[in-house]
């Protein structure tokens, strides 16, 4: 797989100072322990499974655990760390900026700094922020700023605003529902029409969206038709993180716009063995060459032109 040259739109970064901050508060990520991370291990994984470039993001819980000033300071530190890493090896790494929702004022300021000053490739938003889902009008000031910049928004699941099922960690099933809730709320609220320049990538093949699209469609366009709802949901982008099995891929490929599917590894929350397993499943799935290249990198190149090979030739590990 080393010659695949994928662009990974769902790979996480865990700076040591951030891991220490979470550990001090006794916080885990959706039932998963906070993994160890370093740039060398990231690059080794990328080389092993054919990833040329990765757009990094901080996973749930982001900076939500902090009080307002603490969360703002941590978001700034995370974004500046990622910008320095990107500057070391710009052909290998990009990043989605961490924002401060539900602190909207802080999120607007940090988005401006990260996108305009640090050159972030987009922003990451959690599907819900302390129980408020994307698409809620409370977040409109941020969406206006992202729309004005034609930003790419990576939507990652968070903890459901409900008690977990005993013995069932949130990442196993709740994450998929959380993403689905956010997608439906973004669609039904008219957010996609109000902010048409924002490109939204949904994690994990959109949760249940492709499989349940016909059932969800009318709720995505309550004043319209099923066709309207399907059209709205097809405006999203969908990554393949943990979703390239022979069971999930047929649903995703049958539903999504073929130019709106991107590759995702979910490393290091998905350990190297699992990332490699799903990469292998994608490799083994029967696809036309043109569609395979689109998923591996072509669709991501359209979202992130600086990572296209014409502008970002491969570099040696740094």
């Amino acid at each position: 797989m080393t010659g695949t040259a994928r662009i990974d739109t769902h790979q996480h970064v865990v700076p040591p100072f951030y891991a220490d901050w979470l550990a001090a508060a006794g916080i885990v990520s959706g039932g998963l322990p906070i993994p160890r991370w370093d740039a060398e291990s990231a690059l080794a994984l990328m080389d092993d499974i054919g990833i040329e470039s990765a757009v990094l993001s901080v996973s749930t819980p982001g900076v939500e655990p902090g009080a307002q000033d603490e969360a703002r300071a941590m978001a700034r530190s995370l974004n500046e760390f990622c910008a320095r890493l990107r500057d070391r090896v710009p052909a290998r790494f990009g990043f989605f900026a961490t924002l401060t929702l539900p602190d909207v004022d802080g999120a607007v300021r940090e988005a401006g700094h990260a996108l305009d000053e640090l050159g972030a490739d987009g922003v990451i938003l959690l599907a819900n922020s302390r129980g408020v889902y994307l698409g809620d009008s409370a977040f409109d000031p941020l969406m206006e700023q992202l729309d004005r910049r034609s930003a790419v928004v990576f939507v990652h699941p968070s903890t459901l605003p409900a008690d977990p099922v005993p013995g069932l960690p949130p990442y196993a099933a709740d994450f998929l529902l959380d993403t689905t809730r956010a997608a439906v709320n973004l669609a039904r609220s008219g957010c996609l029409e109000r902010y048409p320049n924002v490109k939204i990538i949904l994690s994990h093949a959109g949760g249940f969206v492709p499989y349940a699209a016909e059932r969800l469609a009318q709720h995505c366009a309550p004043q319209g038709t099923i066709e309207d709802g399907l059209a709205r949901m097809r405006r999203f982008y969908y990554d393949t993180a943990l979703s390239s099995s022979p069971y999930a891929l047929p649903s995703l490929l049958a539903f999504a716009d073929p130019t709106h599917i991107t590759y995702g590894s979910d490393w290091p929350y998905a350990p190297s063995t699992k990332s490699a397993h799903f990469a292998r499943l994608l490799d083994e799935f029967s696809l036309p060459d043109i569609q395979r290249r689109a998923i591996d990198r072509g669709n991501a190149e359209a979202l992130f032109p600086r990572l296209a090979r014409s502008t970002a030739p491969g570099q040696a590990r740094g």
Side-chain angles (χ1 to χ4, degrees):
M1 284 187 287
T2 56
T4 306
R6 294 179 169 115
I7 295 175
D8 186 352
T9 66
H10 189 150
Q11 187 178 137
H12 294 301
V13 59
V14 192
F17 66 86
Y18 177 68
D20 291 345
W21 183 67
L22 294 178
I27 292 169
V28 296
S29 178
L32 287 168
I34 305 302
R36 294 176 60 86
W37 175 94
D38 59 69
E40 292 71 24
S41 298
L43 289 166
L45 177 280
M46 291 162 65
D47 291 343
D48 285 345
I49 63 174
I51 299 169
E52 183 172 78
S53 307
V55 187
L56 303 175
S57 57
V58 171
S59 187
T60 184
V63 297
E64 276 191 20
Q68 179 174 290
D69 290 346
E70 184 182 19
R72 290 180 180 185
M74 179 57 69
R76 179 63 54 91
S77 295
L78 288 167
N79 293 332
E80 291 183 344
F81 176 93
C82 289
R84 290 192 299 271
L85 178 61
R86 182 271 325 277
D87 290 345
R88 279 178 50 205
V89 277
R92 303 305 304 271
F93 290 126
F95 74 100
F96 292 111
T98 299
L99 303 184
T100 62
L101 291 182
D103 168 17
V104 176
D105 289 343
V108 168
R109 285 196 286 271
E110 190 58 31
H113 175 74
L115 294 168
D116 299 344
E117 304 299 325
L118 299 181
D121 295 285
V123 304
I124 178 172
L125 299 178
L126 300 182
N128 85 86
S129 297
R130 297 180 187 167
V132 181
Y133 274 87
L134 298 178
D136 193 286
S137 60
F139 298 154
D140 279 358
L142 173 62
M143 296 303 296
E144 289 171 3
Q145 294 300 314
L146 298 176
D147 186 71
R148 186 165 64 82
R149 293 170 171 84
S150 298
V152 180
V153 174
F154 174 50
V155 174
H156 194 279
S158 186
T159 302
L160 283 177
D163 291 335
V165 176
L168 181 64
Y171 72 85
D174 292 357
F175 271 18
L176 303 177
L177 176 57
D178 200 45
T179 299
T180 303
R181 284 181 169 188
V184 172
N185 205 48
L186 282 162
R188 75 175 186 86
S189 67
C191 196
L192 303 179
E193 286 72 33
R194 293 197 305 278
Y195 309 112
N197 298 314
V198 175
K199 282 81 68 179
I200 298 173
I201 305 174
L202 301 178
S203 296
H204 309 121
F208 306 132
V209 170
Y211 180 80
E214 194 80 12
R215 179 172 179 167
L216 297 170
Q218 195 165 5
H219 300 282
C220 293
Q223 304 305 318
T225 64
I226 289 176
E227 289 71 25
D228 293 332
L230 293 173
R232 286 184 178 192
M233 289 187 288
R234 285 194 174 104
R235 292 178 60 176
F236 293 120
Y237 291 76
Y238 297 84
D239 74 42
T240 66
L242 307 184
S243 304
S244 54
S245 74
Y247 324 111
L249 269 180
S251 182
L252 175 62
L253 294 169
F255 174 73
D257 180 331
T259 68
H260 283 206
I261 303 173
T262 65
Y263 173 78
S265 71
D266 211 352
W267 188 84
Y269 289 89
S272 298
T273 52
K274 182 168 285 189
S275 296
H277 171 71
F278 279 97
R280 183 171 61 253
L281 290 177
L282 181 58
D283 286 337
E284 293 172 351
F285 194 88
S286 178
L287 287 171
D289 288 345
I290 190 170
Q291 189 171 28
R292 185 175 302 282
R293 187 187 185 283
I295 293 171
D296 279 344
R297 66 175 299 116
N299 295 337
E301 285 181 330
L303 289 172
F304 310 106
R306 78 168 190 86
L307 295 178
R309 281 186 157 180
S310 60
T311 57
Q315 294 184 1
R317 185 182 302 181

